[in-house]
Amino acid sequence: MENTGNQPRRFCRKCLLQDMDEGQYFDDMRRYIDNLDEDLKVSSQIYDERLAFCRKCDNLISGMCRVCGCFVEMRAVMKKNGCPGIPKKW
């Protein structure tokens, strides 16, 4: 991290998925979800219910939503997010 004045600047070290070890990438994503502020996350029950809808959806491919391009596990964990499909599933 480089510090310019009072604002720290962060630099992405691994920007492309093709440059990352797949296992490490998914471990990092799960660690990110686990460390989110609890006030931002839905309950584990709601999270599981959302993912159950995603598992049945034709727009799910390799953990990603073809409607919006997100990783569904990242989208489903956040209270502020909803299903991007039409009609919305959750």
Side-chain angles (χ1 to χ4, degrees):
M1 189 162 37
E2 178 184 312
N3 191 346
T4 54
N6 292 334
Q7 296 294 332
R9 292 179 64 195
R10 295 182 180 189
F11 295 95
C12 179
R13 293 180 290 138
K14 299 179 180 177
C15 292
L16 300 175
L17 290 175
Q18 68 184 6
D19 297 337
M20 296 180 201
D21 173 75
E22 186 175 309
Q24 183 63 47
Y25 181 77
F26 288 111
D27 288 344
D28 288 349
M29 184 168 49
R30 286 185 196 98
R31 193 171 18 263
Y32 176 82
I33 289 170
D34 290 343
N35 289 309
L36 283 169
D37 187 322
E38 292 298 320
D39 292 338
L40 301 174
K41 297 183 342 183
V42 296
S43 69
S44 59
Q45 179 182 349
I46 291 173
Y47 182 61
D48 291 340
E49 289 171 2
R50 288 179 172 190
L51 292 180
F53 279 109
C54 292
R55 281 185 187 98
K56 295 175 189 172
C57 183
D58 292 336
N59 289 313
L60 178 67
I61 185 165
S62 299
M64 294 178 69
C65 174
R66 293 190 313 175
V67 175
C68 70
C70 73
F71 284 102
V72 296
E73 291 173 78
M74 298 287 275
R75 183 175 199 85
V77 74
M78 301 296 289
K79 286 180 182 177
K80 67 176 185 156
N81 292 340
C83 171
I86 298 173
K88 296 185 180 313
K89 309 266 193 292
W90 48 268

